[in-house]
Amino acid sequence: MKYENIKEGIFIERPNRFIAYVEIDGNPEKVHVKNTGRCKELLRKGVRVYLEKSSNPERKTAYDLVGVEKNGLMVNMDSAAPNKAAGEWLASGGLFPDVEVLRPECTYGNSRFDFYLETKENKMWLEVKGVTLEAEGVAMFPDAPSLRALKHVEELITARENGYEAGILFVVQMEGIRYFTPNRQAQPAFAQALERAEAAGVGLYAYGCHVTRDSMQISYEIPVILNPDKEQDGLETIAAPLLKWYDENRRVLPWREDPAPYRVWISEIMLQQTRVEAVKPYFQRFMESLPDIAALADVPEDRLLKLWEGLGYYNRARNLKKAAGVIMAEYAGVMPAETEELLKLPGIGSYTAGAVASIAYGEPVPAVDGNVLRVISRYRMDDRDMLNAKVRKSVEDDLQAVIPQDRPGDFNQALMELGATVCIPNGMPKCGECPWKDSCKAHIQSKETEFPKKAPKKIRTVEKKTILIIQDAVRTAIRKRPDKGLLAGMYEFPSAEGHLSREEVLALLKEKGMHPLRISRLPDSRHVFSHKEWEMIGYCIRVDELEPVGGVKEGLLFVEPARTEKEYPIPSAYAAYTDYLQIRIGNGKYEAENVDNQ
């Protein structure tokens, strides 16, 4: 559902259930509140609110208050919105794919229910309840005692006893919810009625919504836990079988066999966005060249980037050097053990801090990466967007409660290992090898590949480039990229935007004072970054003479291929063209050296 004319404001006060005062464009305005609930935890003085302008010029209040921001979370508080969103969702097959009849506002017995549905096999009465009360990722209803809600539950039990299907749909008007539970503190009788309803076969459904300033759409399923004190998320039982499986199946990895803080840190940074097998030789060379924090702090950037060449995401390497400098200056060269101190270092987030603290120092803190999020999402059939920061934080909190105090590092590594080798991201997971195969909800329901849920990926931008390999008899032209931005500080071949013809390339070089002798077309190449991709064509141009090394024309350096291979870090994006020069970059260079030395 969408709103037509939304205005931002700042909440001032709410003198009664129906009206509030809001500052709009610097002036106080009386507005209508489209929710008669208390909403005290939402409507606090100074919070940002969202208002829909009425199309009726005769109304006493020109705006309806429909949304509010709560700690960075957008919450829709329009009491009419849940029914509208539910109607759209039901009509699209959200609850049942074969709905043949969908009627709003129908009477059964002494109650008027929000929807009556018919499928080929069933007839169902459905009541919708909007939910805006949330605390620590838990949604609750009601926020105040409601005799009407209690009556609806009892009437649905009667409908079920009379042969109808019956259900209650709790529409949670926000994102990032871990589970829904009845608000026992506000109305114990309602919680008890829901327990009777579930026992009678009444369906209890909870779904969260994607909420923007001008729209709300049902988007993810939320677990319903009627009594959180008795029923947990099930994670309290995962540690023992997981650690037993890990002890029997763990891979032998160089950083795992000697988990010193520096080694753990370097390995975890390298493993971000990179496969284990690809990292192994880089890790070995890095440790040989820069064996400790002091060496890392002092290494020249070009040398560091050359060691990193081929791993990509080069800011990881730069942040390693920055963090090493901080450790030398502020921690006497010793990697801090506390998570709070680790988080202060450049390039270290909650995952890396948790990994170092738990694996190297035995601190009982979680380390949640993409592997862990995928495993937990499938285990609990968690419909939430695992890339959402609030969702990640809630998973960290849940794991914090169950992490073994005596083996926190092994527990975290076991979760990562399970995600990397069994509960894999692409293709069918190897559920027969999983220590949780009898308790994983997604596996039990054969829905492994449906989790985790992911928001649609943003479309990458495409850039067309013409790569120029400009050579004289012995040297090739390269240049250094800017110090900020994509591939910052790396070296590249000269290039031009767009795909140039042979004639356009020759004209361009002549404009720059070069005298081409020969030009030949090189193979096309394509390189994909996380947010963009390059479509490249290339030319090799032989010129009569290049400027001396250190020349300033176009910022070019003119160097022999052997020096390029050893001294100048060139990103793997240009691998197709470094191959043409018979130079090797990244891991390929070191593999070739090993062959030559045998």
Side-chain angles (χ1 to χ4, degrees):
M1 58 151 295
K2 284 188 68 68
Y3 299 102
E4 292 298 327
N5 192 351
I6 291 293
K7 187 80 172 178
E8 291 187 14
I10 301 297
F11 181 77
I12 300 174
E13 63 174 347
R14 184 184 185 184
N16 59 49
R17 292 191 302 165
F18 305 103
I19 66 168
Y21 287 92
V22 173
E23 180 183 307
I24 303 175
D25 295 331
N27 299 309
E29 177 94 17
K30 183 167 74 172
V31 302
H32 174 239
V33 181
K34 292 192 72 175
N35 189 317
T36 57
R38 295 181 180 181
C39 302
K40 288 184 177 180
E41 79 287 352
L42 295 175
L43 295 179
R44 297 180 178 274
K45 186 174 181 179
V47 298
R48 188 176 303 278
V49 294
Y50 297 87
L51 310 111
E52 183 182 38
K53 187 171 179 60
S54 172
S55 59
N56 182 3
E58 303 299 324
R59 265 184 43 168
K60 292 183 178 179
T61 54
Y63 294 94
D64 293 312
L65 198 162
V66 297
V68 59
E69 286 186 8
K70 177 187 177 184
N71 299 325
L73 182 70
M74 179 70 82
V75 181
N76 181 294
M77 54 176 293
D78 178 358
S79 59
N83 276 30
K84 293 179 182 178
E88 294 174 355
W89 180 70
L90 292 167
S92 68
L95 190 57
F96 300 113
D98 56 344
V99 173
E100 296 180 344
V101 175
L102 178 62
R103 297 176 189 155
E105 296 293 330
C106 295
T107 300
Y108 176 82
N110 296 317
S111 292
R112 191 169 182 83
F113 292 117
D114 292 314
F115 292 99
Y116 172 76
L117 302 87
E118 289 186 7
T119 68
K120 292 181 179 179
E121 299 179 357
N122 298 303
K123 298 178 179 180
M124 181 181 196
W125 298 96
L126 184 69
E127 179 65 10
V128 176
K129 300 296 182 187
V131 182
T132 60
L133 180 61
E134 175 270 342
E136 298 181 349
V138 178
M140 293 173 282
F141 180 91
D143 64 350
S146 171
L147 294 177
R148 183 169 177 267
L150 193 59
K151 176 187 173 184
H152 281 147
V153 176
E154 300 294 348
E155 199 79 50
L156 287 170
I157 293 175
T158 301
R160 187 74 184 92
E161 292 170 348
N162 290 334
Y164 289 98
E165 293 293 323
I168 306 173
L169 173 62
F170 294 97
V171 177
V172 183
Q173 295 165 251
M174 66 193 81
E175 300 183 66
I177 298 301
R178 294 189 292 125
Y179 65 88
F180 166 86
T181 191
N183 190 352
R184 289 180 179 271
Q185 184 175 1
Q187 192 176 19
F190 181 75
Q192 294 162 6
L194 286 187
E195 290 175 346
R196 293 195 302 274
E198 183 182 52
V202 175
L204 304 181
Y205 313 99
Y207 281 81
C209 295
H210 175 61
V211 179
T212 69
R213 54 180 285 159
D214 63 353
S215 69
M216 187 178 88
Q217 183 178 29
I218 291 177
S219 62
Y220 66 100
E221 187 175 3
I222 298 172
V224 176
I225 299 180
L226 295 182
N227 193 336
D229 293 335
K230 295 180 180 179
E231 185 176 358
Q232 302 296 326
D233 280 336
L235 296 184
E236 67 273 12
T237 63
I238 66 174
L242 177 66
L243 288 170
K244 182 176 184 297
W245 170 86
Y246 179 70
D247 290 339
E248 296 170 355
N249 296 277
R250 64 191 293 273
R251 289 174 292 178
V252 176
L253 301 173
W255 47 87
R256 194 174 274 172
E257 303 312 302
D258 178 12
Y262 177 65
R263 294 169 60 86
V264 173
W265 173 37
I266 299 302
S267 69
E268 290 298 341
I269 298 298
M270 284 186 170
L271 287 165
Q272 294 171 13
Q273 308 291 332
T274 311
R275 295 178 299 105
V276 166
E277 291 306 313
V279 164
K280 283 181 180 179
Y282 282 93
F283 178 81
Q284 180 180 346
R285 289 192 298 274
F286 200 100
M287 289 296 110
E288 291 171 355
S289 300
L290 306 173
D292 53 34
I293 293 173
L296 175 58
D298 290 337
V299 67
E301 181 171 294
D302 281 355
R303 173 61 179 152
L304 174 64
L305 294 179
K306 196 65 181 174
L307 285 169
W308 202 269
E309 183 185 69
L311 277 175
Y313 300 93
Y314 293 92
N315 274 337
R316 293 183 295 172
R318 294 189 182 87
N319 282 329
L320 281 173
K321 178 174 169 60
K322 291 178 185 176
V326 174
I327 294 171
M328 294 302 297
E330 300 182 16
Y331 298 92
V334 178
M335 191 95 185
E338 299 79 16
T339 304
E340 295 77 11
E341 297 301 313
L342 289 166
L343 287 169
K344 296 177 182 178
L345 299 175
I348 292 187
S350 62
Y351 163 72
T352 306
V356 173
S358 63
I359 298 170
Y361 291 112
E363 293 294 319
V365 292
V368 176
D369 68 349
N371 282 321
V372 175
L373 290 170
R374 179 174 60 260
V375 168
I376 297 301
S377 171
R378 289 173 175 169
Y379 183 81
R380 300 196 294 195
M381 277 182 61
D382 191 335
D383 258 344
R384 295 174 296 169
D385 180 4
M386 289 292 151
L387 298 180
N388 182 285
K390 284 179 67 71
V391 173
R392 177 187 287 266
K393 180 62 169 63
S394 75
V395 173
E396 289 176 350
D397 292 343
D398 292 344
L399 290 173
Q400 180 70 68
V402 300
I403 190 169
Q405 300 293 303
D406 58 339
R407 296 185 66 184
D410 285 345
F411 177 81
N412 285 332
Q413 290 181 96
L415 279 172
M416 300 175 214
E417 191 86 338
L418 190 66
T421 63
V422 174
C423 198
I424 55 179
N426 301 312
M428 283 299 297
K430 304 171 186 177
C431 296
E433 302 174 21
C434 180
W436 299 338
K437 59 180 178 291
D438 295 326
S439 55
C440 172
K441 291 183 179 179
H443 176 59
I444 291 169
Q445 298 193 29
S446 300
K447 294 184 176 181
E448 300 95 328
T449 58
E450 297 180 24
F451 295 85
K453 302 294 185 181
K454 297 178 181 178
K457 290 186 177 180
K458 294 182 179 179
I459 299 176
R460 295 189 186 96
T461 59
V462 177
E463 296 181 359
K464 297 180 184 296
K465 290 182 174 291
T466 299
I467 308 301
L468 305 176
I469 309 299
I470 305 171
Q471 300 174 301
D472 64 8
V474 295
R475 295 167 301 174
T476 300
I478 62 173
R479 65 186 179 192
K480 191 171 186 178
R481 291 181 63 84
D483 291 333
K484 294 184 178 180
L486 183 66
L487 303 177
M490 303 292 285
Y491 289 84
E492 65 175 0
F493 300 112
S495 63
E497 296 299 320
H499 287 173
L500 304 187
S501 68
R502 181 177 182 276
E503 291 71 22
E504 289 171 326
V505 169
L506 291 173
L508 176 65
L509 294 177
K510 288 177 181 178
E511 285 179 11
K512 298 180 181 300
M514 297 184 185
H515 302 288
L517 300 176
R518 293 193 305 271
I519 181 169
S520 57
R521 179 70 184 268
L522 300 178
D524 296 350
S525 182
R526 176 173 172 266
H527 190 82
V528 177
F529 299 94
S530 60
H531 59 296
K532 67 173 62 179
E533 59 184 78
W534 286 354
E535 292 182 353
M536 295 173 281
I537 66 172
Y539 293 92
C540 182
I541 304 101
R542 180 68 177 268
V543 297
D544 57 352
E545 185 179 6
L546 291 174
E547 290 184 10
V549 175
V552 295
K553 181 185 293 184
E554 302 296 326
L556 298 179
L557 297 172
F558 306 106
V559 296
E560 296 82 3
R563 288 191 59 203
T564 303
E565 186 172 89
K566 293 179 179 179
E567 301 175 19
Y568 298 98
I570 296 178
S572 58
Y574 299 101
Y577 303 108
T578 58
D579 285 349
Y580 180 80
L581 297 180
Q582 296 184 329
I583 67 172
R584 296 165 292 249
I585 61 174
N587 202 39
K589 175 170 77 74
Y590 293 98
E591 289 175 351
E593 286 179 355
N594 290 336
V595 171
D596 294 341
N597 292 332
Q598 288 178 0

